[in-house]
Short mmCIF file of all heavy atoms in Angstrom, two decimals:
data_model
loop_
_atom_site.label_atom_id
_atom_site.label_comp_id
_atom_site.label_asym_id
_atom_site.label_seq_id
_atom_site.Cartn_x
_atom_site.Cartn_y
_atom_site.Cartn_z
N SER B 1 139.29 -44.14 -79.73
CA SER B 1 137.84 -44.07 -79.89
C SER B 1 137.34 -45.42 -80.41
O SER B 1 138.12 -46.33 -80.66
CB SER B 1 137.45 -42.95 -80.85
OG SER B 1 137.78 -43.30 -82.19
N ALA B 2 136.05 -45.49 -80.61
CA ALA B 2 135.47 -46.74 -81.12
C ALA B 2 135.54 -46.82 -82.65
O ALA B 2 135.15 -47.82 -83.24
CB ALA B 2 134.01 -46.85 -80.66
N VAL B 3 136.06 -45.77 -83.27
CA VAL B 3 136.08 -45.69 -84.74
C VAL B 3 137.37 -46.29 -85.29
O VAL B 3 138.47 -45.96 -84.82
CB VAL B 3 135.95 -44.22 -85.21
CG1 VAL B 3 136.00 -44.13 -86.72
CG2 VAL B 3 134.66 -43.62 -84.68
N LYS B 4 137.24 -47.16 -86.26
CA LYS B 4 138.40 -47.79 -86.89
C LYS B 4 138.80 -47.00 -88.14
O LYS B 4 137.95 -46.65 -88.95
CB LYS B 4 138.09 -49.24 -87.29
CG LYS B 4 137.78 -50.14 -86.11
CD LYS B 4 138.98 -50.27 -85.18
CE LYS B 4 138.67 -51.17 -83.99
NZ LYS B 4 139.81 -51.21 -83.04
N PRO B 5 140.10 -46.73 -88.32
CA PRO B 5 140.54 -45.98 -89.50
C PRO B 5 140.26 -46.75 -90.79
O PRO B 5 140.23 -47.98 -90.80
CB PRO B 5 142.07 -45.84 -89.30
CG PRO B 5 142.31 -46.20 -87.87
CD PRO B 5 141.21 -47.12 -87.47
N ASN B 6 140.04 -46.01 -91.88
CA ASN B 6 139.96 -46.63 -93.19
C ASN B 6 141.10 -46.09 -94.06
O ASN B 6 142.02 -45.43 -93.56
CB ASN B 6 138.60 -46.39 -93.84
CG ASN B 6 138.35 -44.94 -94.21
OD1 ASN B 6 139.16 -44.05 -93.91
ND2 ASN B 6 137.22 -44.67 -94.84
N GLU B 7 141.05 -46.35 -95.35
CA GLU B 7 142.14 -45.95 -96.24
C GLU B 7 142.36 -44.44 -96.27
O GLU B 7 143.50 -43.97 -96.36
CB GLU B 7 141.88 -46.47 -97.67
CG GLU B 7 142.02 -47.96 -97.85
CD GLU B 7 140.80 -48.76 -97.43
OE1 GLU B 7 139.81 -48.14 -96.98
OE2 GLU B 7 140.82 -50.00 -97.52
N VAL B 8 141.27 -43.67 -96.15
CA VAL B 8 141.39 -42.21 -96.15
C VAL B 8 142.17 -41.75 -94.92
O VAL B 8 143.04 -40.87 -95.01
CB VAL B 8 140.00 -41.54 -96.20
CG1 VAL B 8 140.12 -40.02 -96.11
CG2 VAL B 8 139.26 -41.93 -97.47
N SER B 9 141.87 -42.35 -93.77
CA SER B 9 142.57 -42.01 -92.53
C SER B 9 144.06 -42.32 -92.66
O SER B 9 144.92 -41.53 -92.25
CB SER B 9 142.01 -42.79 -91.34
OG SER B 9 140.63 -43.02 -91.45
N ILE B 10 144.36 -43.46 -93.24
CA ILE B 10 145.76 -43.90 -93.38
C ILE B 10 146.53 -42.98 -94.31
O ILE B 10 147.69 -42.65 -94.07
CB ILE B 10 145.82 -45.36 -93.87
CG1 ILE B 10 145.20 -46.30 -92.85
CG2 ILE B 10 147.25 -45.78 -94.19
CD1 ILE B 10 145.93 -46.36 -91.52
N VAL B 11 145.89 -42.56 -95.39
CA VAL B 11 146.55 -41.64 -96.33
C VAL B 11 146.94 -40.34 -95.61
O VAL B 11 148.05 -39.83 -95.79
CB VAL B 11 145.64 -41.33 -97.54
CG1 VAL B 11 146.17 -40.14 -98.34
CG2 VAL B 11 145.54 -42.55 -98.45
N ALA B 12 146.04 -39.82 -94.76
CA ALA B 12 146.34 -38.60 -94.01
C ALA B 12 147.52 -38.83 -93.06
O ALA B 12 148.44 -38.01 -92.97
CB ALA B 12 145.11 -38.15 -93.23
N LEU B 13 147.50 -39.97 -92.35
CA LEU B 13 148.58 -40.28 -91.41
C LEU B 13 149.92 -40.40 -92.13
O LEU B 13 150.93 -39.82 -91.72
CB LEU B 13 148.26 -41.60 -90.69
CG LEU B 13 149.38 -42.18 -89.82
CD1 LEU B 13 149.67 -41.27 -88.64
CD2 LEU B 13 149.00 -43.59 -89.34
N VAL B 14 149.93 -41.15 -93.22
CA VAL B 14 151.18 -41.39 -93.96
C VAL B 14 151.70 -40.08 -94.57
O VAL B 14 152.91 -39.83 -94.58
CB VAL B 14 150.96 -42.46 -95.06
CG1 VAL B 14 152.18 -42.58 -95.97
CG2 VAL B 14 150.65 -43.81 -94.42
N SER B 15 150.80 -39.23 -95.03
CA SER B 15 151.21 -37.94 -95.60
C SER B 15 151.86 -37.06 -94.54
O SER B 15 152.83 -36.36 -94.82
CB SER B 15 150.00 -37.22 -96.20
OG SER B 15 149.44 -37.97 -97.26
N ALA B 16 151.31 -37.09 -93.32
CA ALA B 16 151.91 -36.32 -92.22
C ALA B 16 153.30 -36.85 -91.90
O ALA B 16 154.24 -36.09 -91.65
CB ALA B 16 151.02 -36.38 -90.99
N CYS B 17 153.46 -38.18 -91.91
CA CYS B 17 154.77 -38.79 -91.67
C CYS B 17 155.77 -38.37 -92.75
O CYS B 17 156.95 -38.15 -92.47
CB CYS B 17 154.65 -40.31 -91.63
SG CYS B 17 153.73 -40.94 -90.20
N ALA B 18 155.29 -38.26 -93.98
CA ALA B 18 156.16 -37.84 -95.09
C ALA B 18 156.66 -36.42 -94.85
O ALA B 18 157.84 -36.12 -95.04
CB ALA B 18 155.40 -37.92 -96.41
N ASN B 19 155.77 -35.53 -94.41
CA ASN B 19 156.16 -34.14 -94.14
C ASN B 19 157.19 -34.04 -93.02
O ASN B 19 158.08 -33.19 -93.05
CB ASN B 19 154.93 -33.29 -93.78
CG ASN B 19 154.03 -33.05 -94.97
OD1 ASN B 19 154.48 -33.04 -96.10
ND2 ASN B 19 152.75 -32.84 -94.72
N LEU B 20 157.05 -34.91 -92.03
CA LEU B 20 157.94 -34.87 -90.87
C LEU B 20 159.22 -35.67 -91.07
O LEU B 20 160.18 -35.53 -90.32
CB LEU B 20 157.21 -35.42 -89.64
CG LEU B 20 156.06 -34.58 -89.09
CD1 LEU B 20 155.26 -35.40 -88.08
CD2 LEU B 20 156.58 -33.31 -88.44
N GLY B 21 159.21 -36.55 -92.09
CA GLY B 21 160.33 -37.47 -92.23
C GLY B 21 160.33 -38.51 -91.13
O GLY B 21 161.37 -39.04 -90.76
N ALA B 22 159.13 -38.80 -90.60
CA ALA B 22 158.98 -39.72 -89.46
C ALA B 22 158.87 -41.15 -89.98
O ALA B 22 157.77 -41.68 -90.17
CB ALA B 22 157.75 -39.34 -88.63
N LEU B 23 160.01 -41.77 -90.24
CA LEU B 23 160.04 -43.10 -90.86
C LEU B 23 159.40 -44.16 -89.97
O LEU B 23 158.64 -45.00 -90.46
CB LEU B 23 161.48 -43.48 -91.19
CG LEU B 23 161.70 -44.88 -91.77
CD1 LEU B 23 160.95 -45.03 -93.09
CD2 LEU B 23 163.19 -45.16 -91.97
N SER B 24 159.69 -44.14 -88.67
CA SER B 24 159.16 -45.18 -87.78
C SER B 24 157.64 -45.20 -87.78
O SER B 24 157.01 -46.25 -87.90
CB SER B 24 159.68 -44.97 -86.35
OG SER B 24 161.08 -45.07 -86.31
N GLN B 25 157.04 -44.00 -87.65
CA GLN B 25 155.58 -43.90 -87.65
C GLN B 25 155.00 -44.29 -89.01
O GLN B 25 153.95 -44.93 -89.09
CB GLN B 25 155.14 -42.49 -87.27
CG GLN B 25 155.38 -42.15 -85.81
CD GLN B 25 156.75 -41.54 -85.56
OE1 GLN B 25 157.68 -41.75 -86.34
NE2 GLN B 25 156.89 -40.78 -84.49
N GLY B 26 155.68 -43.89 -90.08
CA GLY B 26 155.21 -44.23 -91.43
C GLY B 26 155.27 -45.72 -91.68
O GLY B 26 154.35 -46.31 -92.27
N ALA B 27 156.35 -46.36 -91.23
CA ALA B 27 156.49 -47.81 -91.38
C ALA B 27 155.44 -48.54 -90.55
O ALA B 27 154.89 -49.58 -90.95
CB ALA B 27 157.90 -48.24 -90.98
N TRP B 28 155.14 -47.98 -89.34
CA TRP B 28 154.08 -48.56 -88.51
C TRP B 28 152.75 -48.53 -89.25
O TRP B 28 151.98 -49.50 -89.22
CB TRP B 28 153.97 -47.79 -87.19
CG TRP B 28 152.85 -48.28 -86.31
CD1 TRP B 28 152.90 -49.25 -85.38
CD2 TRP B 28 151.48 -47.82 -86.35
NE1 TRP B 28 151.67 -49.44 -84.81
CE2 TRP B 28 150.77 -48.59 -85.38
CE3 TRP B 28 150.79 -46.86 -87.10
CZ2 TRP B 28 149.42 -48.39 -85.15
CZ3 TRP B 28 149.43 -46.68 -86.87
CH2 TRP B 28 148.75 -47.45 -85.89
N ALA B 29 152.46 -47.40 -89.91
CA ALA B 29 151.20 -47.27 -90.66
C ALA B 29 151.15 -48.31 -91.78
O ALA B 29 150.10 -48.91 -92.04
CB ALA B 29 151.09 -45.86 -91.24
N HIS B 30 152.27 -48.54 -92.44
CA HIS B 30 152.34 -49.54 -93.51
C HIS B 30 152.02 -50.93 -92.94
O HIS B 30 151.23 -51.69 -93.52
CB HIS B 30 153.74 -49.52 -94.13
CG HIS B 30 153.86 -50.34 -95.38
ND1 HIS B 30 155.03 -50.44 -96.10
CD2 HIS B 30 152.96 -51.12 -96.03
CE1 HIS B 30 154.84 -51.22 -97.14
NE2 HIS B 30 153.59 -51.65 -97.12
N LEU B 31 152.62 -51.25 -91.80
CA LEU B 31 152.38 -52.55 -91.17
C LEU B 31 150.93 -52.66 -90.71
O LEU B 31 150.32 -53.74 -90.81
CB LEU B 31 153.32 -52.71 -89.97
CG LEU B 31 153.35 -54.08 -89.29
CD1 LEU B 31 153.84 -55.15 -90.26
CD2 LEU B 31 154.25 -54.04 -88.05
N TYR B 32 150.36 -51.57 -90.24
CA TYR B 32 148.97 -51.54 -89.79
C TYR B 32 148.03 -51.93 -90.94
O TYR B 32 147.06 -52.67 -90.76
CB TYR B 32 148.63 -50.15 -89.27
CG TYR B 32 147.25 -50.00 -88.68
CD1 TYR B 32 147.01 -50.30 -87.34
CD2 TYR B 32 146.19 -49.55 -89.45
CE1 TYR B 32 145.74 -50.16 -86.79
CE2 TYR B 32 144.91 -49.40 -88.92
CZ TYR B 32 144.70 -49.71 -87.58
OH TYR B 32 143.44 -49.58 -87.05
#
């Protein structure tokens, strides 16, 4: 979409990665 994530969006993404144990996606979010 045309909407850029902010810190709140990133917290939600990283929290989901934590629940899944999805290290690659979580590390991508950190780099983002």
Side-chain angles (χ1 to χ4, degrees):
S1 73
V3 179
K4 297 297 180 185
N6 68 355
E7 289 81 0
V8 176
S9 326
I10 296 296
V11 167
L13 172 66
V14 172
S15 298
C17 292
N19 289 333
L20 292 167
L23 177 61
S24 298
Q25 289 90 336
W28 177 89
H30 189 179
L31 188 63
Y32 184 86

